[in-house]
Each structure stands twice: as structure tokens, then as C-alpha cells.
Amino acid sequence: MMGDWKTRSFWLEQGDYTPGERLDGDETADVVIVGGGFTGLWSAICLKEADPSIEVTVLEQKVVGFGASGRNGGFAMTIVGRNIHQLAKMVGDTRAGATYRAMHTAIGEIEDFATSEAIEADIWRSGNLTVSNGPEQDVRIRQDLDAAERMGLPFTPLDADQVQAYAHSPTFRIGHFEDQALILDPAALSRGLADAARRRGVRILELTPVDAVEDIGGLRVEARTPFGTVHADRAVIATNAYAHSIPELRRFIFTIYAYITLTEPLTAEQWERIGWESRCGIEDKRILVHFSRRTADGRILWGGRDAPFMSGGPNERHDRNQRLFDRLEETFRWTFPGLDDVAMDRGWAGPVCGTVDCIASVNWLRGQRILYALGYAGHGVGPSRLVGKIVRDMLLTDGTELTALPFVAKKPVPLPPGRVLRRLLLDTSHKVLIGVDENPERADRALGRFALRVLQ
Ligand SMILES: Cc1cc2nc3c(=O)[nH]c(=O)nc-3n(C[C@H](O)[C@H](O)[C@H](O)COP(=O)(O)OP(=O)(O)OC[C@H]3O[C@@H](n4cnc5c(N)ncnc54)[C@H](O)[C@@H]3O)c2cc1C
């Protein structure tokens, strides 16, 4: 596969990356981490920082950032669950507030860590603008603002003129703004984190697919690969949607494919036309959201919308889908009609680990030797830093205030057993959600009404 990771996203294509060494024979470690995305890398860094004597090995099937971490939109946001209003509905104001405050800290730590480690990942404290594109989305903006106000969280309400001052679009109505959000180059951050981990003594082995992680009689674990086995005290499964291959995890996760399109670079005059002067990220308030941002070389990244739900695990044949790229271009043109002379340059996709409540889960699998950390449902760039600290606390302590957060405390919502039922539920949910987003005025149908009652 030499080099085939490069074609997976605009970000992975940049730079002249050479994969590190792969496993060659049997080895030992205190902790073996499977997966070299943000979750695996932050977990390794947090463990090493807490106790430099711990031997940590990360095994990555391809290259660091090959999965969602090297393909995403590059928004590091505080969002956990579908939004702050929904999180509060699920876990109550106190726990939702504590989660958001922990996320504020995590976002600041990502920025500070990158600065102190001289990671060049084009990181901007740009803030995040959330906009509404219709009356039903206005409701969701107000719900977030009410929840944030109750919890004393810094969400700034924006009226129509204030939203247009960030970026001009005939579709934007009202919104809210959060300062504590970054935009960044995710593949560069993945590679920078891997370098920082290596400097701390973490062993990162690439091109090393793990076939199985086994608990050996509750005494130790083995991570088996075609090139040898890592014998360790504990293991961390940080394989995101790829964890579908593990039956216990498949019960509550599913794969969502997220699609992104990218314009050619805009001229200064084209940027002026839409008045998007700051580099803030923009998300809308659909259920299957649109997200957009500017890149360092002046393009607009435009993603989201259909995001198909798959009942199986990641499959590379979904990495390109012209029909979905075209549908994204359609909403880009609808949002920025003033940019009709800007062409789309390319598109890509990646697997997201879906969970019913959109809350990542960190917990033990079979006993107390194998920990899993996954399920961000499309918002893992910021939370993976917090999850890295939770993994550290789960492995090294009896519990901290972080292990009391919903990532650990809230049980994941199971999907129905059996392939047929699972597929039926996922297909129907996807159809209903698309219907609610595309034709909100027709969401008076029974299933649409039910979806809105649950999701709003
Ligand atoms: C198109 C797209 C846009 C997104 N946009 C955003 C965004 O703007 N903001 C945001 O917060 N989130 C976004 N996300 C989600 C975000 O990227 C993820 O939540 C986050 O990267 C998850 O990190 P991870 O380390 O858990 O998983 P991954 O990055 O997927 O890492 C898992 C790793 O495990 C490896 N692996 C799998 N199986 C094995 C095995 N058997 N052996 C060894 N290694 C294995 C994979 O190769 C992969 O590198 C987006 C995702 C996509 C796909």
C-alpha cells in the first residue's frame, strides 16, 4: 500500500511523509495502543506525561492519521453529544456543564501543546460560528443558548446582522458564536503528535495491522499482528469505526461516512464578496450538519449533508462518491450564490464511528485489561484530547473527576441485535433524518415528528 494513504484527503497529501518502522518480531510493553489517530496518540502522550517510566507502544495499520484523524474538517470544538441542549437533556445540566468546561480546558491544551512542541498544523483560535438556515434551526440555536446560559457557558447569541458580519449568505438567519474553538490541519497535527509522542519515548509502529487483542487469563494482553505480537499489561482499542470488527463494540457503534468537498483557492476579491474575513469555522443546525472553513491556501472546505449510515465497518470503496460530492456542491452554491465562478477542486470521505447518543465511550472490554475509547460520532478532534486524559486516569488511578464524565459514566445505547434489524433501523433513521433536514415543513409525518421529539 506504499503511498496509498496520500490519496485519502487533501491534508494527508501535503508534505513529504515517510512512514515509521513497523513491528518486526515479538515485543513487550506496559500499554499497547491499537490505532494511530488522535485518540491513540493523545492517550500515549498523556500516559507518558503522567509517568515517563511506562512503556507505551502504538500499533497503526497504515500511517498515523490514516483514519478520520487525517481526513476531517479540522474543527476542534467543545461539542459533545449532538449539542449542549441535547447533552443537558441526556445527562442533566450539572454533568453537561462539567463536560463542556472540561472541553474548554482540552481545546486550550491542544493549542498550548502544539505551540510548546512547535507542531506546524496551521492552528487558528478562530472560534466557531453556528448558523441557522431555517425556522426549525432557529429553534435549535435558541435551545443551545438557553442551555449555555443556564450553565454559565460562553455562547454569544447573534442576530441576523451579526451573523452576516461574519459571512454573507442569503441562507444564514440567526446564530451563536463560541470563542473556544480552533481550526487546524488535522494530518499535520496527527504527525506532530506522533513526533511529540516519540520524543517522550512512545514506540509508534506503522504499517502494522493488529489482527486480534486477547486477554490472557486476566493476567496480561497480547496484540497479535502478521509481523509479531506485543505482550503487554494493558491494551487500549483506539480504532474508531474500525472497531466494528469487535462483536462487543459492534453492539453500540455503526459507521457513518462523512464527505468533504474543497474549492479551488479563492481570489481576494472573491473572499471580499462573501465578507468571510475571519477564519472562523461555520456549522449549520441541520441534524446532518454542513460545516465549512477556509484553508491556509485560501480554499473553502465544505462538508457534511448526507453522511450515509453503514451497518458494516469502514470500506474503502466509500472513500469517493461523485453523487454525494455533487450534492454537497449543490448546497455550497445555494449558500454562497455569489461564488458561482468558484470551481470545486476535489472531494474525499472518511469513516466516523457513530453512536446513537453521539457521545464517545471509554470503558473496559472483557475484564480490566482492555480499554476501548471511541464513538465521537463526527466530533472527535477536540474531545480526543480529553479522552486521552480519561484513558490515562482509567489506567493509572482509581478514578478522577474526569472518569465521572459521561464518556465513562453513561452507558452506550445498544443497537438492535441481528444484521437485518440493525440495517433496517440505520436505513430508516437515515432516511427520516434526511427528510427532516431537506423538507422540514413535511416533518409532520409520524416518524419525522418522533425524530424531532428525540433530537430537539
Ligand atoms: C470527513 C470527516 C470530517 C470530520 N470533521 C470533523 C471536524 O471538523 N471536527 C471534529 O471534531 N471531528 C471531525 N470528524 C471526526 C473526527 O475526525 C474523529 O472523531 C476523530 O478523528 C477520531 O479519532 P480516532 O483516533 O478515534 O479515530 P481514527 O482517526 O479513525 O483512528 C483510528 C486509527 O486506527 C487504525 N486502525 C484501525 N484498525 C486497526 C487495526 N486492526 N490495527 C492497527 N490499526 C488500526 C486506523 O488506520 C486509524 O488510523 C470528521 C471525520 C471525517 C471522516
Side-chain angles (χ1 to χ4, degrees):
M1 59 77 65
M2 291 306 287
D4 86 341
W5 69 85
K6 288 194 178 159
T7 61
R8 303 301 154 150
S9 77
F10 170 72
W11 312 112
L12 285 164
E13 203 180 286
Q14 313 297 312
D16 195 13
Y17 188 74
T18 310
E21 64 180 307
R22 74 175 187 205
L23 183 65
D24 183 14
D26 291 358
E27 294 193 3
T28 58
D30 293 314
V31 179
V32 60
I33 297 176
V34 186
F38 289 142
T39 304
L41 295 169
W42 279 123
S43 299
I45 290 168
C46 293
L47 279 166
K48 266 293 192 193
E49 289 194 328
D51 182 351
S53 72
I54 299 181
E55 286 181 5
V56 182
T57 297
V58 176
L59 300 175
E60 164 55 48
Q61 61 173 352
K62 304 235 172 173
V63 293
V64 294
F66 173 81
S69 297
R71 309 187 197 192
N72 59 67
F75 293 57
M77 297 182 284
T78 55
I79 190 167
V80 170
R82 260 180 287 280
N83 50 54
I84 180 70
H85 161 75
Q86 273 288 324
L87 186 68
K89 239 170 91 174
M90 279 188 284
V91 303
D93 281 6
T94 309
R95 287 163 90 196
T99 307
Y100 265 68
R101 273 182 272 279
M103 276 308 308
H104 268 237
T105 308
I107 299 291
E109 287 169 351
I110 295 173
E111 194 180 16
D112 293 347
F113 188 85
T115 306
S116 66
E117 295 290 318
I119 297 174
E120 287 181 15
D122 194 35
I123 297 182
W124 288 75
R125 167 69 74 95
S126 52
N128 198 59
L129 171 68
T130 306
V131 297
S132 126
N133 282 319
E136 74 296 342
Q137 297 185 35
D138 293 352
V139 173
R140 294 174 204 150
I141 292 277
R142 292 196 188 98
Q143 287 172 330
D144 278 355
L145 287 167
D146 285 350
E149 195 183 350
R150 283 196 317 272
M151 291 169 222
L153 296 168
F155 280 48
T156 309
L158 303 173
D159 64 22
D161 290 342
Q162 290 166 320
V163 167
Q164 295 294 328
Y166 279 101
H168 314 328
S169 163
T171 70
F172 294 172
R173 294 159 62 99
I174 58 169
H176 57 64
F177 192 82
E178 245 198 308
D179 279 330
Q180 190 75 338
L182 313 171
I183 56 165
L184 48 82
D185 172 338
L189 181 61
S190 304
R191 292 167 184 170
L193 292 182
D195 289 342
R198 286 188 176 106
R199 283 194 289 278
R200 285 162 175 72
V202 174
R203 191 154 163 68
I204 298 181
L205 299 165
E206 296 178 284
L207 306 176
T208 305
V210 174
D211 295 329
V213 178
E214 294 292 343
D215 178 331
I216 309 297
L219 298 172
R220 60 192 174 85
V221 293
E222 287 182 3
R224 297 186 194 132
T225 85
F227 315 115
T229 295
V230 177
H231 302 268
D233 192 39
R234 307 278 181 92
V236 180
I237 310 277
T239 53
N240 185 35
Y242 302 85
H244 178 266
S245 57
I246 302 173
E248 294 95 321
L249 301 181
R250 187 157 66 226
R251 284 193 198 126
F252 67 88
I253 63 172
F254 58 101
T255 306
I256 304 173
Y257 260 82
Y259 286 79
I260 282 179
T261 50
L262 193 67
T263 67
E264 62 185 10
L266 273 63
T267 62
E269 185 274 322
Q270 285 166 329
W271 278 112
E272 227 168 83
R273 264 187 240 159
I274 54 168
W276 190 353
E277 281 168 18
S278 79
R279 293 186 62 164
C280 70
I282 306 179
E283 267 202 7
D284 68 13
K285 268 297 192 187
R286 289 161 57 103
I287 291 169
L288 298 171
V289 299
H290 284 113
F291 48 90
S292 53
R293 58 162 285 187
R294 129 189 222 156
T295 59
D297 63 351
R299 300 158 187 270
I300 296 179
L301 176 152
W302 181 261
R305 200 175 186 190
D306 297 286
F309 298 173
M310 312 286 171
S311 57
N315 184 326
E316 291 181 8
R317 82 190 149 85
H318 301 304
D319 284 356
R320 305 236 181 284
N321 182 325
Q322 194 54 48
R323 188 182 68 82
L324 296 185
F325 294 146
D326 291 345
R327 276 177 59 83
L328 273 173
E329 178 169 355
E330 191 182 281
T331 40
F332 171 77
R333 304 263 170 239
W334 175 71
T335 307
F336 295 118
L339 295 181
D340 56 354
D341 52 347
V342 173
M344 283 296 168
D345 183 35
R346 66 185 83 186
W348 68 88
V352 162
C353 186
T355 38
V356 173
D357 56 14
C358 298
I359 300 179
S361 191
V362 187
N363 236 310
W364 297 107
L365 180 75
R366 310 174 210 142
Q368 298 262 307
R369 295 267 154 201
I370 305 173
L371 194 64
Y372 64 83
L374 40 77
Y376 305 93
H379 282 120
V381 177
S384 55
R385 163 73 195 182
L386 174 55
V387 162
K389 295 195 289 180
I390 295 175
V391 166
R392 171 200 66 198
D393 291 358
M394 298 276 285
L395 291 179
L396 302 185
T397 74
D398 290 333
T400 62
E401 78 277 11
L402 298 185
T403 61
L405 292 175
F407 304 99
V408 183
K410 187 175 183 311
K411 279 208 167 7
V413 182
L415 288 161
R419 286 234 307 271
V420 175
L421 263 183
R422 178 185 168 95
R423 182 163 203 119
L424 185 71
L425 179 88
L426 291 173
D427 286 353
T428 310
S429 311
H430 191 256
K431 235 181 248 151
V432 170
L433 298 184
I434 294 267
V436 165
D437 276 340
E438 306 279 327
N439 295 300
E441 66 287 353
R442 293 177 60 201
D444 53 342
R445 293 182 178 174
L447 277 176
R449 256 201 328 266
F450 174 72
L452 284 180
R453 227 184 14 250
V454 176
L455 297 174
Q456 202 155 273

